[in-house]
Amino acid sequence: YGERSSCYGYKWFNIDNLSIVFLIRQKQGKSDPYVLCKISETVFARTSVAKRTLKPLWNQRLHLPAVNLDDVDKITLEVWDRDHFSKDDFIGQVVLSLREIKPGEKWGGWKNIQSSERSHSGELKFSVELVTQLSLIH
């Protein structure tokens, strides 16, 4: 992590430009999707629920906490379908390797949403920005 280290080795992440295109139709024809941002199985951020759509777009910026890159190597974006009368349905996930993200650059694009039931259930578009402690001061 040589070029990515800052004092104490901690970094913050911003995630934005989230959108999804689903490849399959849900049972009712529409979905109420939302995205959870996880680091080491802990949820640190979440989008709002996009109502009755198969092409959600979130105009939100999600801020993830400072992490030590020596301890954490991935961020997981989990896609869920909100159900009002039963447990929410897991649609799939995108795992982002932090090794691909460089300080001061936005990284992202379209990634397949991997699910346990099928190879993938759609694509998630996003951008991630690595923010160092020093850039937060300016």
Side-chain angles (χ1 to χ4, degrees):
Y1 298 108
E3 67 179 330
R4 293 175 10 173
S5 61
S6 67
C7 32
Y8 309 112
Y10 287 88
K11 307 287 187 192
W12 287 260
F13 291 90
N14 293 324
I15 299 176
D16 55 14
N17 299 320
L18 285 161
S19 62
I20 294 176
V21 173
F22 289 109
L23 296 180
I24 59 162
R25 295 216 172 260
Q26 304 296 321
K27 288 179 257 180
Q28 291 82 15
K30 300 284 181 174
S31 183
D32 296 320
Y34 62 93
V35 178
L36 299 178
C37 298
K38 296 171 80 175
I39 298 174
S40 301
E41 299 305 314
T42 301
V43 175
F44 284 100
R46 126 184 216 157
T47 66
S48 59
V49 175
K51 305 277 187 189
R52 297 178 298 280
T53 182
L54 293 176
K55 293 186 180 182
L57 171 63
W58 292 275
N59 291 316
Q60 296 176 248
R61 172 170 279 187
L62 305 176
H63 302 282
L64 279 68
V67 297
N68 187 330
L69 294 177
D70 294 330
D71 299 333
V72 177
D73 64 346
K74 67 181 179 178
I75 295 173
T76 303
L77 302 176
E78 289 185 354
V79 181
W80 291 82
D81 180 17
R82 176 80 172 165
D83 286 330
H84 296 283
F85 302 108
S86 63
K87 184 178 172 187
D88 291 357
D89 298 319
F90 177 72
I91 294 173
Q93 67 183 14
V94 172
V95 178
L96 309 177
S97 170
L98 299 185
R99 297 182 191 279
E100 299 180 54
I101 305 169
K102 305 221 182 323
E105 294 180 12
K106 286 207 173 195
W107 177 81
W110 290 98
K111 295 278 188 181
N112 288 338
I113 301 169
Q114 301 298 321
S115 71
S116 56
E117 298 174 2
R118 22 191 188 284
S119 59
H120 70 282
S121 53
E123 293 183 318
L124 174 69
K125 182 183 178 188
F126 63 92
S127 68
V128 178
E129 180 181 18
L130 177 66
V131 182
T132 64
Q133 275 185 320
L134 299 177
S135 65
L136 291 175
I137 296 171
H138 298 292

